[in-house]
Amino acid sequence: MTTLPVSAFALAGRSLRISSRRPDALIVALMLPVMLMLIFVYFFGGAIDTGTTYVTYVVPGAMLLCAGFGAASTAVSVSEDMTNGIIDRFRSLDVGAVPILAGHVAASVVRNLISTTLVLAVALAIGFRPQAGPTAFLGAAGLLLAYITAISWLAAALGLLAKSPEAAGGFTFLMMFLPYPSSAFVPIETMPGWLHGFADHQPLTPVIESLRALLLAQPAGDAPWIALTWCAGITAVAVTLAGALFRNRTR
C-alpha cells in the first residue's frame, strides 16, 4: 500500500510541475497581488489615513489577498483532476483521498509561500520596514502558514464541490473577496456602521491584525489566538468536508 508521505509528496510534485507548465496562470497568481498592492499604495494610499505610512498598513492584507488567489488555482486543479479521469488511475494504484488532496494542498502551500515572499520583497522595495525580532517574525510566519493551509484545504473542498473547473474558479471568489470587508486596506472604523459587525468578526480580521502587530512589534492582545482558532476550525471543517465529497464523487 502506498504510504501517505510518499504519495502526498509525489502528488505535490506533480501539482507543482503542472503549475510550471501554465506560465500564464502562474504569472497572474504571482503578479496580480503585487499589482493590487501597488495600486492601493500609490493610487489610494495618499487619501487613506491609517496613522502610519500606507505601505506599512497594507502589507498583511496583501499577503492574505495573495493566498486567496493561490487557493483559487488549487480549487481549479482539484476540479480538473475529478473530471479528467486521473483519479481512477490513482485509485487503481491504491492511492486514497487523503494523499491526493494533501498533494494539492502541499503544492498550494509552496506556491503561496513563493508568491507571499514576492509580495514581501516588493513591499520592502517600496518602503515597508518591519520591526519584528526573530521570535515575532517566526510567529508571523507560522500564523501565515496556518492560514494558507486552512484556505488551501477549503479550496480543495470547493474544487470537489464544483462540477467543472470553471465553477470551481467561481466558488473561490468569496476567498478573494473577504480581505476587502476587513481591516486589510482601511481601518474598520471608517466603514459604514452596518458593516462593522461582519468586518470585526470575520476570520481574516484577527489574522491581519495579528500579522500587523507581530511584524511591527506592537501589542497583539488576543488576536493571534483568535486567528489560530479560526485557522484550526476552517482546516478541520474543510478536511472533513473534502473527505466526504471525495468519497461521494468516487463511489
Side-chain angles (χ1 to χ4, degrees), residues 90-114:
F90 287 152
R91 288 174 64 80
S92 71
L93 296 172
D94 200 21
V95 180
V98 174
I100 291 172
L101 298 177
H104 280 288
V105 170
S108 175
V109 170
V110 172
R111 288 193 301 264
N112 274 297
L113 290 176
I114 293 171

Side-chain angles (χ1 to χ4, degrees), residues 113-202:
L113 290 176
I114 293 171
S115 57
T116 300
T117 301
L118 179 61
V119 167
L120 182 58
V122 173
L124 291 170
I126 63 174
F128 178 59
R129 296 295 179 264
Q131 304 298 318
T135 301
F137 187 82
L138 288 174
L143 176 57
L144 186 60
L145 180 61
Y147 175 76
I148 290 173
T149 302
I151 200 172
S152 296
W153 272 110
L154 181 59
L158 292 175
L160 290 165
L161 185 64
K163 299 301 183 183
S164 69
E166 293 76 13
F171 284 172
T172 56
F173 170 77
L174 180 61
M175 291 188 292
M176 293 184 284
F177 173 75
L178 273 180
Y180 296 99
S182 73
S183 61
F185 302 112
V186 297
I188 291 175
E189 294 75 19
T190 65
M191 298 178 183
W194 57 267
L195 191 55
H196 283 190
F198 177 79
D200 276 326
H201 297 99
Q202 65 132 309

Side-chain angles (χ1 to χ4, degrees), residues 32 64 95 129 156 160 163 172-173 224 226 230 237 239 249:
L32 191 55
L64 267 60
V95 180
R129 296 295 179 264
L160 290 165
K163 299 301 183 183
T172 56
F173 170 77
I226 297 172
W230 269 111
V237 171
V239 169
R249 293 281 298 270

Side-chain angles (χ1 to χ4, degrees), residues 21-83:
R21 295 169 189 158
R22 299 172 177 172
D24 51 345
L26 189 60
I27 290 172
V28 169
L30 291 175
M31 296 307 299
L32 191 55
V34 172
M35 294 302 298
L36 287 173
M37 180 178 67
L38 294 175
I39 288 171
F40 273 99
V41 170
Y42 290 113
F43 290 9
F44 309 131
I48 301 174
D49 181 15
T50 61
T52 183
T53 57
Y54 190 65
V55 66
T56 298
Y57 184 88
V58 81
V59 166
M63 290 179 175
L64 267 60
L65 187 66
C66 180
F69 282 108
S73 64
T74 302
V76 172
S77 63
V78 169
S79 181
E80 287 177 342
D81 275 0
M82 298 304 297
T83 56

